Amino acid sequence: QVQLVESGGGSVQAGGSLRLSCTGSGSGYRPYCMGWFRQGAGEAREGVAGVDIDGVPTYADSVKGRFTISQDNAKKTLYLQMNSLKPEDTAMYYCAAVIGRGVCYTFPRSDGYNYWGQGTQVTVSS
């Protein structure tokens, strides 16, 4: 059974940095595309960054120049390096993957992802 497990969240002051990790496991773990999404309290889920089937990254305008998505296929891990964090970045962060019968739609469309992690909380204080 495929699983995604996020880690690396925490509490930081504005201007600080965090690196989130998302590690995949399971015999069927062969993602075509992956992404990071976030959801603040009382807010809709939004796409943060994604990598397509060719590994090309895409970012939400709100994080461009501050966040970097990367992946280490040997470690089955997706990363999100977050720099210059702002209070408005406070949210639960989720990684997602398209595996098997999922569909890699153009980021930030999220309905094609068929595997999701449990989330990791990021809190940025001013």
Side-chain angles (χ1 to χ4, degrees):
Q1 184 73 8
V2 172
Q3 284 189 319
L4 300 175
V5 178
E6 300 99 332
S7 61
S11 297
V12 295
Q13 290 190 328
S17 299
L18 285 172
R19 188 177 79 158
L20 305 184
S21 300
C22 170
T23 301
S25 63
S27 61
Y29 183 77
R30 298 179 190 84
Y32 295 117
C33 55
M34 299 190 73
W36 285 99
F37 295 81
R38 66 187 182 188
Q39 187 168 19
E43 299 178 359
R45 184 176 63 195
E46 64 170 343
V48 176
V51 287
D52 66 14
I53 196 168
D54 296 316
V56 177
T58 305
Y59 298 93
D61 288 343
S62 59
V63 306
K64 280 181 181 177
R66 300 188 298 122
F67 291 11
T68 303
I69 189 171
S70 62
Q71 51 189 358
D72 185 329
N73 293 329
K75 294 182 178 180
K76 298 182 180 180
T77 300
L78 181 75
Y79 300 100
L80 185 68
Q81 177 67 44
M82 306 186 296
N83 299 326
S84 302
L85 283 161
K86 304 175 181 180
E88 51 263 45
D89 294 319
T90 295
M92 184 71 80
Y93 283 70
Y94 301 90
C95 72
V98 171
I99 297 172
R101 295 183 178 180
V103 180
C104 290
Y105 293 118
T106 300
F107 184 85
R109 184 173 173 178
S110 65
D111 56 315
Y113 291 93
N114 56 344
Y115 286 90
W116 292 79
Q118 83 289 348
T120 186
Q121 178 68 35
V122 172
T123 303
V124 185
S125 58
S126 58

